[in-house]
Amino acid sequence: MTHARTPLRATPLRATTASAVLATLLAGAALGLAPAAQAAPLAPPPTAAQAADSSVRFVDIPGDGGVTLAANVVTPRGAADAQRLPLVVLPTSWALPQAEYLAQAQKLADSGYVVVSYNVRGFWQSGGEIETAGPPDVADASKVIDWALANTPADPDRIGMAGVSYGAGISLLASGFDKRIKAVAALSGWADLVGSIYSGRTQHAQAAALLSGSGELLGRPSAELRQIFQDFLGSNLAKEKDIVEWGKKRSAATYLDRINANGAAIMLANAWGDSIFPPNTYAGFYEKLTGPKRLEFRPGDHATGELTGLLGLPNDTWNDARRWLDRYVKGERNGIDQERPVQLKSRTADGYEGYPSWSAVPSAQRRVDLGETRQITANADSGANAGTVLLTGALDQFLKIPPLVSVPLLSRERAAVWQTDRYGAAQRIRGTVRLHTTVTSDKSSGTAVAYLYDVDALGVGKLITNAPVTFHDRTPGTPFAVDLDLFSTAYDVPAGHRLALVVDTVDPLYIEHNPDGAHLTFSSPKADPSYLSVPVRD
């Protein structure tokens, strides 16, 4: 992952990227990382109504290798020692304290569960160092289950796990290593860590900087993790293989066979605009699961779909997560398994759409030919960009304001632009947009970022989706084919609007690898025409 001009050694980030990283860390603090620090030592006491139904106690649990894990246990009030109750284990999100799940834990306890929520190792009062969902974190999950079975009225035959973000990733991984886990609700997590923050062989700079910065601020990163972030953000291509292998060890997709063999019921939920763990890897992973499964995508950014539920307010994601656990941990016949397993909510329309599978989401593919050759100069921002981690998707979710651009004003020297004719009817985009093109560079390395816009009559484009792609070790002047999956989405393009594909080389979300003075040419050879494949629902 080295910059093309200084191979095989770390390089500083460009000024635009450094500024974006700073903005990202400030955004993370504004959205809850810093306030969490103030609330960390103790969870807020339960209300009088909650106390009448459940009890909360704070405990230390021995984790793997002797590490102590700070936890809280919420038990239904009046549960007899001889009574066996279903158990739900909740690992905390990255950098958040054990109070994170208290509102949901109390809801679960009120419906009859024993709930154990614990701070993952390396954060807050828990011991050890941050292992980033490595083997010690997976082993910790089993140790927490062991402790709960020995110290609470938990039923060994009715055990589930759930979590948001980091907690989702650990829960999903644990289901492949502990056969006692009967169900998982993995919310805003990842199935493929490499495919999430290194998609298209491009570092997601803001996402990685947010994780690194919050880990340093609120946790105790291991020496290995610090080196991984240094090599990753420093674009050290010599360590690329090591970084990829490190990520694979922390990806549920690597252990798919184990997860399927254990047979836990898996619910996956994420946001279309998740800027840390984009939805694509969940979708692909979901299709390969063989046990009971459910996939939910909604508007929003990372963990914004679960946020109101963490505050104890009504929340669709948490409601479905509890129903999933009720069905596959408690064994209740509540009907969730009779619903269509893929549930999507469009970014532009109300209500949910149900499908029998992810592959069944689009009913057709609209092909947009990209016949005209375009050449652009690299290292210059065209004005098109995908926004800011955490903030952009949240604005789209709550205010329906995605990143905007004036397509007519985009510099054609810095951005390649193709537009369709105006559509006579609305186009319901559902699924994964795919770009196939031929690229020629006058340098051996480079980065391109593709954006798809919904363009109105005034030329104002609303971002539908995007994705980066990076190449290394190419022969200058020699064309090569590029196939790029943009991040999956659900978006309705109104009648009278058109689509615009924009490709440039600079975006604050990503680290780019374009040497100074580089040029990229996008062509469409007769033997291998370039096109955009747009999945739509008729």
Side-chain angles (χ1 to χ4, degrees):
M1 287 176 290
T2 188
H3 198 285
R5 288 173 292 177
T6 51
L8 306 183
R9 63 185 178 88
T11 60
L13 303 180
R14 293 188 185 277
T16 54
T17 302
S19 298
V21 167
L22 177 60
T24 296
L25 295 176
L26 293 174
L31 288 176
L33 296 176
Q38 299 167 5
L42 291 175
T47 65
Q50 291 166 335
D53 296 325
S54 61
S55 63
V56 182
R57 59 192 174 105
F58 295 87
V59 299
D60 289 335
I61 296 176
D64 184 59
V67 167
T68 298
L69 304 173
N72 60 60
V73 182
V74 187
T75 308
R77 178 72 67 181
D81 291 340
Q83 182 183 13
R84 289 299 177 185
L85 301 174
L87 168 68
V88 175
V89 175
L90 304 171
T92 53
S93 300
W94 184 273
L96 293 186
Q98 57 180 300
E100 175 187 8
Y101 298 118
L102 189 58
Q104 287 302 317
Q106 289 169 336
K107 287 179 182 291
L108 287 164
D110 289 347
S111 66
Y113 291 92
V114 173
V115 185
V116 180
S117 174
Y118 70 96
N119 257 123
V120 292
R121 63 172 55 217
F123 285 108
W124 299 99
Q125 294 94 344
S126 287
E129 297 178 325
I130 302 171
E131 296 289 344
T132 322
D137 287 305
V138 176
D140 283 345
S142 291
K143 290 288 188 179
V144 171
I145 293 173
D146 293 341
W147 183 91
L149 294 177
N151 295 277
T152 76
D155 186 341
D157 295 322
R158 295 187 292 169
I159 298 172
M161 290 191 68
V164 176
S165 186
Y166 195 35
I170 291 174
S171 297
L172 198 54
L173 285 161
S175 71
F177 290 85
D178 195 322
K179 294 182 179 180
R180 297 173 296 181
I181 299 170
K182 298 296 188 283
V184 169
L187 316 178
S188 290
W190 73 92
D192 179 354
L193 190 58
V194 178
S196 294
I197 63 173
Y198 192 45
S199 70
R201 210 179 173 188
T202 308
Q203 301 101 316
H204 293 213
Q206 290 188 21
L210 177 59
L211 295 173
S212 176
S214 57
E216 292 286 351
L217 179 65
L218 300 172
R220 297 174 299 281
S222 65
E224 178 188 38
L225 179 59
R226 284 196 173 103
Q227 188 63 53
I228 287 290
F229 276 127
Q230 179 180 331
D231 292 336
F232 186 79
L233 291 170
S235 300
N236 189 351
L237 188 60
K239 294 298 183 72
E240 181 181 35
K241 182 178 179 181
D242 293 340
I243 294 171
V244 169
E245 288 303 313
W246 178 88
K248 285 183 177 179
K249 290 180 182 178
R250 291 156 171 81
S251 299
T254 302
Y255 311 103
L256 175 67
D257 290 345
R258 297 184 63 124
I259 293 171
N260 282 334
N262 286 351
I266 306 294
M267 172 182 162
L268 307 171
N270 206 351
W272 295 120
D274 194 319
S275 51
I276 297 180
F277 304 129
N280 297 46
T281 68
Y282 256 10
F285 181 74
Y286 169 84
E287 290 287 82
K288 297 175 184 177
L289 290 171
T290 58
K293 58 185 180 179
R294 183 177 177 92
L295 178 68
E296 300 184 355
F297 286 141
R298 298 176 175 84
D301 209 311
H302 184 65
T304 62
E306 298 82 36
L307 180 60
T308 57
L310 293 175
L311 300 175
L313 301 174
N315 182 273
D316 288 352
T317 308
W318 278 108
N319 182 59
D320 285 349
R322 292 194 303 272
R323 292 172 62 219
W324 189 255
L325 296 170
D326 287 347
R327 173 64 186 89
Y328 291 104
V329 177
K330 276 187 178 180
E332 292 183 357
R333 298 287 180 176
N334 57 14
I336 194 169
D337 55 328
Q338 302 302 309
E339 299 171 359
R340 290 191 170 187
V342 176
Q343 294 287 320
L344 311 182
K345 188 173 185 180
S346 170
R347 291 165 49 205
T348 52
D350 294 327
Y352 288 89
E353 303 168 359
Y355 300 92
S357 66
W358 173 252
S359 60
V361 170
S363 57
Q365 296 284 335
R366 300 272 192 268
R367 178 169 168 140
V368 178
D369 292 326
L370 308 174
E372 297 183 17
T373 298
R374 303 280 193 272
Q375 184 181 79
I376 59 175
T377 301
N379 294 337
D381 193 344
S382 70
N385 72 77
T388 302
V389 67
L390 294 183
L391 296 178
T392 295
L395 288 173
D396 187 41
Q397 175 185 358
F398 297 113
L399 301 177
K400 296 190 183 303
I401 303 177
L404 304 175
V405 71
S406 174
V407 175
L409 297 181
L410 289 173
S411 168
R412 270 37 177 190
E413 292 183 358
R414 301 175 178 180
V417 180
W418 297 264
Q419 295 191 72
T420 67
D421 294 331
R422 292 190 178 91
Y423 290 105
Q427 304 294 301
R428 299 170 62 204
I429 298 175
R430 299 290 186 274
T432 305
V433 177
R434 293 183 167 90
L435 169 64
H436 174 78
T437 189
T438 295
V439 178
T440 306
S441 174
D442 51 12
K443 305 294 181 180
S444 61
S445 295
T447 297
V449 185
Y451 311 87
L452 185 65
Y453 287 99
D454 161 22
V455 185
D456 65 17
L458 298 177
V460 176
K462 293 182 177 181
L463 184 66
I464 299 173
T465 182
N466 79 101
V469 62
T470 292
F471 58 89
H472 295 290
D473 302 321
R474 292 288 179 177
T475 301
T478 301
F480 59 94
V482 169
D483 290 286
L484 177 62
D485 285 357
L486 278 64
F487 301 136
S488 303
T489 193
Y491 185 100
D492 297 347
V493 179
H497 288 205
R498 66 180 77 201
L499 291 175
L501 173 68
V502 177
V503 182
D504 70 4
T505 61
V506 175
D507 191 291
L509 281 180
Y510 313 114
I511 293 178
E512 49 91 1
H513 297 261
N514 298 291
D516 290 337
H519 296 85
L520 299 181
T521 301
F522 302 90
S523 59
S524 182
K526 289 184 179 180
D528 186 19
S530 295
Y531 62 89
L532 193 70
S533 182
V534 182
V536 296
R537 190 75 192 173
D538 291 331

